[in-house]
Amino acid sequence: MADKPGSIDAVEAMLAAQDYVCGRPLATVAFLGLTLDRPLFLEGEPGTGKTEIAKAIAAGLGRRLIRLQCFEGLDASSAVYEWNFAAQMIAIRAAEAAGGADRAALTAELFTEEYLVARPLLDAMRPHPEGPPVLLIDEIDRTDAPFEAFLLEALSDFAVSIPELGTIRAPEPPIVILTSNRTREVHDALKRRCLYHWVDYPAFDREIAILRARAPEVSERLSRQVVAFVQRLRAEDLFKRPGVAETIDWAKCLLALDAVELSPQVVADTLGAILKYQDDIQRMEGSEAKRILDEVRAETATA
């Protein structure tokens, strides 16, 4: 287990060691969250690195990463705990077969830690030998208002209640990171509990640095062409703009095809690596893709 970074520069260095290239504003909010034990609320377009920073912080600090993937209909019981009903039924059958089981004593025995199945929130509240874990609450915007209200209470006290066992409180606050793709607005009360940061698409130089870190085998020429092409795509009227994850995937696909530079045929063959909707692919096929490629070639030729 590593100590928490003592400065913004140390946060940048820790993340860079995990191949996460971080801008100064994001490093600052991460430093403050770690120092003040405040949850981070990271909002932005899909594929901009919100989930990855949680993984990088966990790896950099040597902490366990616990991920709660949010979805519509997620409730407190699914996120906190459940009882192992199968094991409880076996215990009941065994007690009945032995005969003379005291019902009250049996009931007390059935609702103990032995039969408790911890879900992510409860798991994050428990002590861990390597130190408080990183709790990633991913895509909170997919849940509904009742779960947000429950989460606000849990994060305010870093505690959860189990009727049969009472309140379980974290001995040390976990490192909490919430992400949102902004498919809907998250309630202000939850945001106020956190330090907020909008994770935007990176500028050209930083995206080049990210690609070098994640796919160092890609040549400098091809890297610049790939990033320039993707950044121009983001300015087009698309249903789903490609994120940094798609930039990395596309570069690796091109490398697998032994491409040394972009060409109209290579772009046409691999559009599915960066665009995930058929309407977007149809829009960019042919003359549109060639127009962007010509602009990219002209730019990178003079770079």
Side-chain angles (χ1 to χ4, degrees), residues 158-181:
F158 291 108
V160 292
S161 295
I162 300 174
E164 298 85 355
L165 298 178
T167 299
I168 297 177
R169 193 176 304 276
E172 294 182 71
I175 299 167
V176 182
I177 299 174
L178 301 93
T179 74
S180 168
N181 294 332

Side-chain angles (χ1 to χ4, degrees), residues 1 8 14 47 72 118 167 188 192 195 198 218 233 245 286 294:
M1 177 184 71
I8 299 170
M14 179 188 75
E72 187 177 353
T167 299
D188 286 346
R192 285 198 301 268
L195 297 175
W198 175 266
V218 180
L233 273 184
D294 289 343

Side-chain angles (χ1 to χ4, degrees), residues 90-101:
I90 292 172
I92 291 170
R93 295 288 182 262
E96 290 175 346

Side-chain angles (χ1 to χ4, degrees), residues 69-73 139-144 181 183-184:
Q69 180 62 53
C70 298
F71 54 87
E72 187 177 353
E139 299 183 332
I140 184 64
D141 52 318
R142 292 182 178 272
T143 62
D144 51 23
N181 294 332
T183 57
R184 68 168 180 86

Side-chain angles (χ1 to χ4, degrees), residues 62-271:
R63 309 288 180 88
R64 184 181 168 198
L65 176 67
I66 299 175
R67 181 173 181 172
L68 174 61
Q69 180 62 53
C70 298
F71 54 87
E72 187 177 353
L74 177 65
D75 57 16
S77 61
S78 301
V80 180
Y81 76 99
E82 66 178 341
W83 293 106
N84 188 337
F85 293 118
Q88 286 174 324
M89 289 303 299
I90 292 172
I92 291 170
R93 295 288 182 262
E96 290 175 346
D102 180 82
R103 181 174 295 274
L106 180 58
T107 301
E109 290 176 3
L110 290 175
F111 292 98
T112 60
E113 288 275 357
E114 180 181 355
Y115 298 99
L116 186 67
V117 179
R119 294 305 181 196
L121 284 181
L122 176 58
D123 199 8
M125 302 294 178
R126 288 176 158 173
H128 293 263
E130 65 274 15
V134 175
L135 172 61
L136 170 62
I137 303 175
D138 214 7
E139 299 183 332
I140 184 64
D141 52 318
R142 292 182 178 272
T143 62
D144 51 23
F147 184 76
E148 279 186 34
F150 163 76
L151 195 59
L152 177 63
E153 182 180 354
L155 295 183
S156 296
D157 300 326
F158 291 108
V160 292
S161 295
I162 300 174
E164 298 85 355
L165 298 178
T167 299
I168 297 177
R169 193 176 304 276
E172 294 182 71
I175 299 167
V176 182
I177 299 174
L178 301 93
T179 74
S180 168
N181 294 332
R182 209 176 187 182
T183 57
R184 68 168 180 86
E185 285 296 333
V186 176
H187 198 281
D188 286 346
L190 183 57
K191 284 187 174 182
R192 285 198 301 268
R193 180 68 185 83
C194 308
L195 297 175
Y196 177 86
H197 185 78
W198 175 266
V199 184
D200 208 346
Y201 294 113
F204 181 84
D205 289 342
R206 189 154 69 86
E207 194 159 8
I208 285 287
I210 292 169
L211 188 54
R212 286 174 183 153
R214 294 303 180 98
E217 62 275 20
V218 180
S219 70
E220 178 70 16
R221 177 179 175 81
L222 183 58
S223 294
R224 297 186 70 85
Q225 288 184 343
V226 164
V227 171
F229 193 97
V230 172
Q231 295 218 337
R232 278 175 166 74
L233 273 184
R234 292 180 188 139
E236 299 293 320
D237 184 19
L238 300 175
F239 181 76
K240 167 66 172 67
R241 292 182 291 174
V244 180
E246 282 73 35
T247 302
I248 297 168
D249 285 346
W250 192 32
K252 290 180 177 179
C253 289
L254 296 172
L255 189 68
L257 294 173
D258 295 325
V260 295
E261 66 175 355
L262 293 183
S263 68
Q265 187 62 51
V266 167
V267 171
D269 290 345
T270 57
L271 271 178

